[in-house]
Amino acid sequence: MTNDKKNADTGISKQELRQRAELQASEKAWPKTDHLSLDESQKVLHELRVHQIELEMQNDELRRSQVVIDTLRSRYFDLYDLAPVGYVTLTEPGLILETNLRFSSLVGVRKEELIKHPLSRFIFPDDQDIYYLSSKKLFAAGERQTFELRMKRQDGAPFWARLEATMASADDGETAYCRLTATDISEQRALQDELAKTNRMASMGMLAAGIAHEINNPLTALLYDIETVAKDLPVIEEAVNEMSRTLQELLGESALTDIVGKDSAEVIRGSSLANLRNMAAQAATATHRIHEIMKGLTSFARPQQDELSPIDINEAARNAITVASNQFKYRAKLIVDLGELPPVLGNEGRLSQVFVNLLVNAAQSITDGDRERNRITVRTWSEGDAV
């Protein structure tokens, strides 16, 4: 190392230090040593050597301490800059004094460009009140503040952040500032939203099951009545037609109208009864369809029940087809091929849910516009002990 090599901390070269030391030595009045004996001079020289060695040892210790300090400082900055959360130091008005690389990457701005800029520029306008209220509470009471809000990057991309703020004092003991940590919780919020959606769907399923159960009782009675009417109307129609033919033979066709009137004659002749029979058959078909939908919905909306029992796989498949039919009936033709199956141990509600998901996925993978050519096939069969 040359004399011109400057000290890393002071910026002063060794040559400059030597010149300063010689100047101070020449200005001081040192005691005269010409009266000292040889022994006394040797003692003075010995003391000087000891002091010199002490100074050298102290310098070595200082250099070692400086190396340790530099190492610790390097580790601190590595831990600070490369931390998994963003660190920000703010003034009371909210200006950024210091930040680490993580926060810089969160907002998409270089560290140097963040200094003396307000943190609020990265907070959604609708969430500004959350930030200002928490900051006010922090500096008023000194209590840690934890809150969540929406932030935005330099390019405008939004993200959810959890902020934790604590108050600290500067070296003068008077100036207060805020130390803040920022964590990106966008993925966590998305999972929470998905879980909330799932919970809402589960609640809707339970509600649908209750409604379906309440509807099923009167619907069963209605279906029985309509099917009975639809079954009896053809018999009534045949009897009325026979009576009409007999009256026409006895009294003539015009006499029937004169006796019972035009409207009644039309009924007797069977045209109105035929319409009634057709309408009753259509009503029975529609009511039976509603009954099947309610039955499928009741089965589908029981996923919370985990009991296993012997069930009919084909029945679970039929329930799923009923519930999901609206998803595929305009996209593809459904081909159902249900084989002869033994009962299996399972949960009908959960299996129905699985089958509905499969049907919906199949329907969504088919584009609209070619229903006549598109096919979705539901097939069940058994092989040995497996279904």
Side-chain angles (χ1 to χ4, degrees):
M1 183 180 295
T2 64
N3 289 338
D4 291 333
K5 182 68 176 179
K6 290 189 176 183
N7 184 286
D9 292 329
T10 63
I12 302 175
S13 66
K14 289 186 176 181
Q15 182 177 1
E16 196 172 348
L17 286 173
R18 175 74 179 183
Q19 292 173 352
R20 291 185 182 182
E22 289 179 349
L23 179 61
Q24 291 184 19
S26 63
E27 291 176 350
K28 290 184 178 181
W30 297 97
K32 295 181 179 182
T33 59
D34 53 358
H35 65 283
L36 297 176
S37 65
L38 180 60
D39 290 339
E40 291 173 334
S41 298
Q42 288 177 344
K43 288 181 180 180
V44 170
L45 288 174
H46 176 73
E47 289 295 324
L48 289 175
R49 290 193 189 98
V50 171
H51 285 303
Q52 181 181 4
I53 293 171
E54 288 178 345
L55 289 173
E56 290 175 351
M57 292 175 65
Q58 291 175 358
N59 285 335
D60 290 340
E61 186 64 28
L62 286 173
R63 281 192 291 270
R64 284 193 293 271
S65 298
Q66 186 63 46
V67 171
V68 172
I69 291 172
D70 291 342
T71 302
L72 291 175
R73 182 185 290 116
S74 176
R75 290 177 181 174
Y76 165 77
F77 280 110
D78 286 344
L79 290 173
Y80 180 77
D81 268 339
L82 303 179
V85 297
Y87 288 115
V88 187
T89 302
L90 301 169
T91 63
E92 187 169 354
L95 298 180
I96 298 174
L97 295 177
E98 186 182 17
T99 182
N100 68 344
L101 287 175
R102 176 55 180 164
F103 184 80
S104 172
S105 65
L106 279 178
V107 296
V109 180
R110 295 176 55 191
K111 286 174 54 177
E112 297 78 8
E113 298 175 2
L114 290 170
I115 306 305
K116 295 185 179 180
H117 283 275
L119 179 69
S120 57
R121 69 179 271 199
F122 301 106
I123 298 176
F124 258 62
D126 292 344
D127 292 355
Q128 294 278 349
D129 289 344
I130 300 175
Y131 165 66
Y132 286 122
L133 182 60
S134 299
S135 179
K136 184 178 179 180
K137 289 181 179 179
L138 173 69
F139 285 99
E143 298 177 355
R144 176 189 292 267
Q145 301 293 315
T146 302
F147 49 99
E148 297 178 0
L149 46 70
R150 291 168 297 174
M151 300 187 68
K152 57 183 179 179
R153 297 181 174 85
Q154 179 75 358
D155 59 4
F159 66 96
W160 275 95
R162 176 183 292 113
L163 304 180
E164 295 188 14
T166 55
M167 195 170 69
S169 299
D171 294 336
D172 58 15
E174 296 180 359
T175 306
Y177 54 87
C178 167
R179 292 193 186 278
L180 184 142
T181 63
T183 307
D184 187 346
I185 59 169
S186 300
E187 184 175 349
Q188 179 181 341
R189 291 289 298 223
L191 290 174
Q192 290 175 348
D193 292 342
E194 189 65 27
L195 179 60
K197 181 180 178 181
T198 301
N199 290 335
R200 287 195 299 271
M201 292 297 293
S203 298
M204 291 176 62
M206 294 176 63
L207 180 63
I211 294 174
H213 179 74
E214 292 298 322
I215 292 176
N216 260 335
N217 291 331
L219 186 63
T220 300
L222 178 62
L223 179 60
Y224 174 79
D225 292 342
I226 292 178
E227 286 182 339
T228 300
V229 171
K231 180 181 178 181
D232 291 346
L233 271 175
V235 178
I236 296 173
E237 181 183 11
E238 181 61 30
V240 170
N241 288 339
E242 182 63 29
M243 182 180 66
S244 173
R245 286 192 294 271
T246 302
L247 288 174
Q248 289 179 21
E249 291 175 358
L250 294 174
L251 303 176
E253 186 171 346
S254 59
L256 179 63
T257 303
D258 296 337
I259 295 172
V260 299
K262 181 179 180 181
D263 294 337
S264 297
E266 290 294 326
V267 172
I268 293 173
R269 291 189 181 96
S271 58
S272 295
L273 283 175
N275 291 335
L276 289 175
R277 173 171 50 80
N278 293 333
M279 286 188 289
Q282 293 174 3
T285 301
T287 306
H288 184 73
R289 171 65 177 164
I290 296 172
H291 185 266
E292 289 298 316
I293 292 173
M294 291 296 103
K295 183 180 176 182
L297 186 60
T298 302
S299 176
F300 176 71
R302 291 196 209 117
Q304 73 278 8
Q305 298 178 358
D306 292 324
E307 295 83 3
L308 301 181
S309 60
I311 62 170
D312 182 359
I313 291 289
N314 287 340
E315 185 64 19
R318 281 190 285 266
N319 291 336
I321 291 170
T322 300
V323 172
S325 62
N326 195 57
Q327 298 291 323
F328 55 76
K329 66 181 181 181
Y330 300 113
R331 294 172 179 260
K333 287 187 174 181
L334 182 70
I335 300 174
V336 180
D337 180 14
L338 304 181
E340 293 291 332
L341 304 178
V344 300
L345 191 64
N347 182 288
E348 185 175 343
R350 291 192 180 278
L351 279 175
S352 295
Q353 188 174 32
V354 171
F355 296 158
V356 166
N357 291 342
L358 290 173
L359 286 168
V360 171
N361 289 342
Q364 291 178 348
S365 68
I366 297 174
T367 56
D368 291 329
D370 199 359
R371 181 182 179 278
E372 295 302 317
R373 295 182 59 186
N374 295 331
R375 296 286 186 274
I376 295 177
T377 302
V378 178
R379 188 167 71 94
T380 63
W381 71 97
S382 62
E383 293 180 1
D385 295 334
V387 170

